[in-house]
């Protein structure tokens, strides 16, 4: 059987496609030598059914380039801003076990340190926090309202090529994916928009420029385990799952593991361990209870 892959370069994992049996995906992040060259332009509102160029212009300043230092080496991926004060959604496999995470927001060209404030391997999602004020954001759409044949748009950093924009359609709905920890991610969106290693964590947009999914895995057609590229079959975690994850992260239910917290040196810039351990201000006891809800650890 052909081998799909997760979209984070340098990190491989086994995933499954529900009705088709087990297949290997590779994280869609990659390991470029630099963050690439970015073109600065102001964002503009996205009108319903606007042109692809308008969708790109409206979204590009909210898409992020992520570099994570992990025990396996440097992994890169994508993400997108969901709050004006700097909350960013990406895939968990992009930042899993990272001792340091750096993010370039939009077309700013300025890298800054990010903190993992929420991580859920069972949904392959992570929530990062950077210092921010009035940042451009992307809105989460209604993934339950899309249909096969609807237009899709992907923005990310495949092979380190920042802000690459591709188009396609919804090819199928309700695919089952296997998360890095073996859990099943249901309701995934299949698309033929080109996504490749480095696209992990980036947004899949609808015709209104809203996020309907988080690009996470692809089918590569490779049978020898070598890193492959897009063959027109990609998968995105649905926005409904992302919304639930963000709510859980803000509620302290999917905090990063204690090991990952210890690896992040003073992420809030406060010089106090308490601020690092309790970023949502919900109390040390709750943080300890929720630090590793799945009992898996990270790293």
């Amino acid at each position: 059987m052909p081998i799909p892959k997760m979209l984070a370069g340098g990190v491989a994992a086994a995933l499954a496609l529900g009705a088709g049996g087990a297949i290997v995906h590779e994280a869609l992040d990659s390991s470029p030598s630099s963050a690439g060259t970015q073109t600065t332009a102001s964002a503009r509102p996205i009108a319903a059914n606007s042109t692809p160029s308008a969708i790109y212009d409206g979204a590009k300043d909210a898409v992020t380039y992520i570099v994570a230092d992990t025990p396996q080496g440097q992994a890169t991926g994508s993400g997108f801003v969901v709050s004006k004060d700097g909350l960013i959604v990406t895939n968990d496999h992009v930042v899993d076990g990272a001792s340091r995470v750096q993010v370039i927001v939009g077309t700013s060209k300025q890298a800054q340190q990010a903190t993992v404030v929420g991580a859920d391997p069972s949904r392959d999602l992570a929530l990062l926090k950077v210092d921010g004020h009035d940042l451009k954001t992307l809105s989460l759409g209604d993934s339950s309202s899309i249909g096969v044949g609807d237009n899709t748009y992907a923005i990310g950093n495949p092979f380190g090529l920042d802000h690459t924009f591709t188009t396609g359609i919804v090819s199928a709905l309700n695919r089952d994916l296997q998360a890095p920890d073996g859990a099943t991610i249901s309701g995934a969106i299949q698309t033929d928009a080109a996504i490749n290693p480095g696209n992990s964590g980036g947004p899949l947009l609808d015709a209104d420029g809203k996020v309907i999914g988080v690009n996470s895995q692809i089918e590569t057609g490779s049978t020898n385990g070598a890193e492959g590229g897009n063959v027109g079959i990609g998968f995105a975690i649905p926005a409904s799952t992302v919304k639930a994850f963000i709510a859980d992260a803000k509620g302290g239910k999917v905090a990063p593991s204690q090991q990952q917290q210890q690896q992040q040196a003073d992420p809030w810039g406060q010089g106090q361990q308490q601020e690092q351990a309790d970023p949502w201000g919900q109390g040390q006891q709750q943080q300890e209870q929720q630090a590793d809800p799945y009992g898996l650890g990270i790293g």
Side-chain angles (χ1 to χ4, degrees), residues 23-115:
I23 44 183
V24 175
H25 295 246
E26 183 180 302
L28 291 185
D29 45 13
S30 49
S31 302
S33 58
S34 67
T37 302
Q38 299 160 318
T39 302
T40 302
S42 59
R44 63 190 187 209
I46 301 172
N49 297 312
S50 43
T51 65
S53 61
I55 290 173
Y56 173 76
D57 284 345
K60 62 183 172 57
D61 287 324
V63 177
T64 65
Y65 190 111
I66 298 172
V67 180
D69 294 335
T70 74
Q72 293 76 32
Q74 191 175 79
T76 64
S78 307
F80 56 95
V81 181
V82 293
S83 72
K84 291 181 180 295
D85 63 350
L87 289 177
I88 296 169
V89 169
T90 188
N91 280 132
D92 178 68
H93 70 252
V94 173
V95 298
D96 180 28
S99 59
R100 183 177 69 162
V101 179
Q102 291 185 296
V103 172
I104 297 175
V105 177
T107 56
S108 67
K109 301 183 182 179
Q110 298 296 319
Q112 58 179 305
Q113 184 168 321
T115 308

Side-chain angles (χ1 to χ4, degrees), residues 2-208:
I3 300 177
K5 58 196 283 186
M6 284 193 297
L7 303 182
V11 184
L15 300 159
L17 262 183
I23 44 183
V24 175
H25 295 246
E26 183 180 302
L28 291 185
D29 45 13
S30 49
S31 302
S33 58
S34 67
T37 302
Q38 299 160 318
T39 302
T40 302
S42 59
R44 63 190 187 209
I46 301 172
N49 297 312
S50 43
T51 65
S53 61
I55 290 173
Y56 173 76
D57 284 345
K60 62 183 172 57
D61 287 324
V63 177
T64 65
Y65 190 111
I66 298 172
V67 180
D69 294 335
T70 74
Q72 293 76 32
Q74 191 175 79
T76 64
S78 307
F80 56 95
V81 181
V82 293
S83 72
K84 291 181 180 295
D85 63 350
L87 289 177
I88 296 169
V89 169
T90 188
N91 280 132
D92 178 68
H93 70 252
V94 173
V95 298
D96 180 28
S99 59
R100 183 177 69 162
V101 179
Q102 291 185 296
V103 172
I104 297 175
V105 177
T107 56
S108 67
K109 301 183 182 179
Q110 298 296 319
Q112 58 179 305
Q113 184 168 321
T115 308
V116 180
V117 295
D120 187 355
S122 71
R123 287 179 282 194
D124 194 16
L125 293 170
L127 191 65
L128 312 182
K129 179 70 172 65
V130 298
D131 291 334
H133 173 70
D134 200 27
L135 297 178
K136 299 294 183 182
T137 64
L138 287 178
S139 299
L140 293 171
D142 182 4
S143 54
S144 68
S145 67
I146 62 174
V148 173
D150 287 355
N151 290 333
T152 58
Y153 306 88
I155 309 180
N157 311 299
F159 302 108
L161 300 171
D162 63 285
H163 283 78
T164 296
F165 182 69
T166 59
T167 66
I169 62 168
V170 174
S171 302
L173 295 168
N174 297 316
R175 298 300 196 193
D176 285 341
L177 305 177
Q178 188 178 37
D181 71 347
T184 297
I185 303 172
S186 60
I189 302 164
Q190 181 180 328
T191 181
D192 66 351
I195 50 179
N196 287 284
N199 275 113
S200 267
L204 186 69
L205 307 171
D206 64 10
D208 294 328

